Amino acid sequence: QRRVHGGSRTHLQIMTSSPVNEIEMFDMSGSSFAPVSRCTVGECTPEALAAAGKSLLAHVSNDADRKMRQSYRLEVFFDGKSWVVQVRFDILVYFQLIPHERQTAQFHEDLRNYIQNALQPTPDLPTDPTPRMEHQSQKVCSFGDDNCQFHKTTKGCKDLHPPRCGIPQDRGDTRTKICGFYFDTPLILEDFPLTNGKFLIMMRKEGTRDILVQPDLSKRDLHNNSQLAESPLFWAQMLKVRDHIKEMLRTEADPVESFHLNFGRWETAASRDPGALYCHGHGHVIVSRDAALHWNHCFPDHKFAGCVRTPQDDGHRADCQQLLLHTNLKMISDLSQDLMSLKRTVTTKLDAVTTWQIDVTTKLDDVLKALKKSKNKKKKKKPNQATKNC
């Protein structure tokens, strides 16, 4: 790799023969708000996506601040011209890392536009179909929860519980804790084809148009997201899901908005351990709203029917809301300080005007006294008329 500086952005050129184009790095100059690093791939193939994922994760490890590595996402989407693979960082951390004095007017304008786009209301409508299957996931008993359905059987949880993820959760320190995640069998989309027997295709219990692709824990095939992002087999399975939906709907339009993998705090948002930095690996296939509605129309009895709700990007949206609150409070604070400063300035000016008015009044009094005194002197010097006649 070789660094190339161009304007306020820095590029990493991939010098080896690779399907990955140069990486456009996040901007820390403060001239614009750009909390992403991105590259394009010539073709959307498993090998190209795995190479791009490997390059971007290496860039995150080598170039990003330690705080920026606590929450980020690897995203893949088509921008109308080419396939883009990008890392989206936690905007709250990114904002805090850039000193206030370096944040230009363009930076704050980009920030407002970014937050506005991220917090746009979802296109969900009251007339949308309801999910055919609202499955209530059981609580994960490996964290000491006694409400697990398998605890109540005669054989007990140990014999009947679905396979758990045995990956130690990295907490960023010497402490580790087994992830303990397990999938709910009713959520598995059995009719979705697999590229190999190592993955499971699942729907979300919330009824959103988000399909999960994760290693089959029953095969003891444990991977975290970093390993999946660099695996051509994983990306082949993600693309297989997209191709299957496209084939079933018999449409030329792309039925998928994006693929993504979460890392750090965003990945472990549902974890019982708030200190975990990664746990069981899984990717997200975000089906487009039109494709989800079409699927509901064509296959009303399918498990995935009615799953048209927009996935709530809880981690990213929460950070945007927090940053919006922070910037609004800061704006109010700055405005308050400006008003106080203006008040002090006006008070100073008024004091100066009052002083000037007193000074002018005093001088006018002195002038009037002098005129009066001069007039009295003239009266005294004027001869008396009776004396003059004598």
Side-chain angles (χ1 to χ4, degrees):
Q1 296 181 344
R2 180 167 65 91
R3 288 182 190 276
V4 179
H5 296 276
S8 61
R9 301 281 284 180
T10 304
H11 299 75
L12 281 178
Q13 288 187 345
I14 312 298
M15 303 304 291
T16 58
S17 56
S18 170
V20 184
N21 297 324
E22 64 181 14
I23 298 176
E24 185 181 0
M25 296 175 60
F26 55 88
D27 182 10
M28 296 296 289
S29 68
S31 59
S32 63
F33 185 83
V36 295
S37 293
R38 56 191 295 167
C39 64
T40 58
V41 292
E43 293 182 313
C44 187
T45 63
E47 293 73 21
L49 295 179
K54 184 175 183 178
S55 298
L56 281 168
L57 292 184
H59 152 65
V60 172
S61 299
N62 297 331
D63 300 300
D65 185 273
R66 178 182 59 83
K67 294 180 180 178
M68 294 179 68
R69 296 197 295 269
Q70 293 179 359
S71 304
Y72 61 97
R73 167 182 300 147
L74 183 67
E75 302 173 335
V76 179
F77 59 92
F78 186 71
D79 66 355
K81 296 181 180 179
S82 57
W83 282 92
V84 177
V85 185
Q86 72 177 20
V87 170
R88 184 185 300 278
F89 294 98
D90 184 337
I91 66 168
L92 194 59
V93 174
Y94 173 81
F95 178 81
Q96 292 171 347
L97 287 176
I98 300 180
H100 178 69
E101 60 273 10
R102 291 172 56 187
Q103 298 174 12
T104 63
Q106 184 64 45
F107 176 92
H108 286 281
E109 181 179 352
D110 293 343
L111 169 61
R112 287 190 294 271
N113 293 335
Y114 185 98
I115 294 178
Q116 183 179 1
N117 291 333
L119 297 181
Q120 279 183 346
T122 61
D124 299 339
L125 301 173
T127 55
D128 285 343
T130 56
R132 176 180 176 273
M133 178 181 163
E134 282 275 16
H135 180 72
Q136 295 297 323
S137 176
Q138 297 297 328
K139 294 182 179 180
V140 181
C141 66
S142 57
F143 291 99
D145 196 329
D146 292 331
N147 293 326
C148 172
Q149 60 173 334
F150 303 102
H151 271 111
K152 302 174 183 178
T153 62
T154 55
K155 290 188 177 181
C157 171
K158 188 173 182 181
D159 296 323
L160 297 178
H161 201 292
R164 299 190 190 98
C165 176
I167 292 181
Q169 291 181 322
D170 183 5
R171 299 174 53 90
D173 52 29
T174 57
R175 296 173 295 167
T176 58
K177 189 174 185 178
I178 298 301
C179 172
F181 170 85
Y182 73 91
F183 55 82
D184 294 320
T185 306
L187 297 177
I188 300 174
L189 301 174
E190 299 92 346
D191 56 335
F192 274 58
L194 302 174
T195 55
N196 55 64
K198 295 185 177 182
F199 293 96
L200 285 176
I201 314 300
M202 302 180 62
M203 58 182 287
R204 297 294 295 266
K205 67 179 185 294
E206 298 85 359
T208 58
R209 46 188 172 87
D210 181 2
I211 295 177
L212 302 181
V213 176
Q214 65 181 41
D216 188 347
L217 303 181
S218 64
K219 306 292 179 62
R220 310 307 301 166
D221 191 28
L222 307 180
H223 292 85
N224 58 42
N225 277 357
S226 297
Q227 295 167 325
L228 293 180
E230 300 177 10
S231 169
L233 287 177
F234 168 74
W235 288 112
Q237 184 61 71
M238 297 282 275
L239 294 174
K240 188 72 173 178
V241 171
R242 167 176 167 261
D243 294 340
H244 175 67
I245 298 175
K246 189 174 183 179
E247 181 181 350
M248 293 294 290
L249 296 180
R250 299 180 181 179
T251 177
E252 293 299 323
D254 196 331
V256 171
E257 284 183 2
S258 65
F259 309 105
H260 70 252
L261 296 96
N262 292 321
F263 292 84
R265 184 170 54 86
W266 287 352
E267 178 187 355
T268 58
S271 171
R272 299 293 182 88
D273 184 1
L277 294 182
Y278 70 78
C279 55
H280 63 282
H282 59 283
H284 299 257
V285 180
I286 309 301
V287 181
S288 70
R289 176 177 168 80
D290 290 341
L293 289 169
H294 193 185
W295 185 280
N296 180 74
H297 175 74
C298 295
F299 311 106
D301 296 327
H302 192 272
K303 279 185 181 181
F304 194 63
C307 294
V308 300
R309 298 174 184 170
T310 302
Q312 293 301 312
D313 192 357
D314 293 334
H316 183 53
R317 287 178 64 87
D319 289 339
C320 286
Q321 290 169 345
Q322 189 173 351
L323 183 55
L324 179 62
L325 177 62
H326 171 79
T327 52
N328 285 344
L329 289 176
K330 188 176 185 306
M331 188 182 302
I332 293 172
S333 176
D334 292 344
L335 181 60
S336 176
Q337 291 180 4
D338 291 342
L339 289 174
M340 291 297 294
S341 177
L342 180 61
K343 181 180 178 180
R344 288 193 295 268
T345 303
V346 170
T347 301
T348 303
K349 296 291 186 183
L350 287 175
D351 291 342
V353 169
T354 303
T355 303
W356 174 82
Q357 186 179 10
I358 293 172
D359 187 49
V360 169
T361 303
T362 303
K363 289 182 178 180
L364 284 174
D365 289 341
D366 293 341
V367 169
L368 291 175
K369 288 178 181 179
L371 289 174
K372 188 175 182 180
K373 187 176 181 180
S374 176
K375 188 175 181 180
N376 291 336
K377 285 183 178 180
K378 287 182 179 180
K379 284 183 178 180
K380 288 180 180 180
K381 289 181 179 181
K382 189 175 181 180
N384 193 313
Q385 189 67 27
T387 306
K388 187 177 180 181
N389 293 334
C390 293

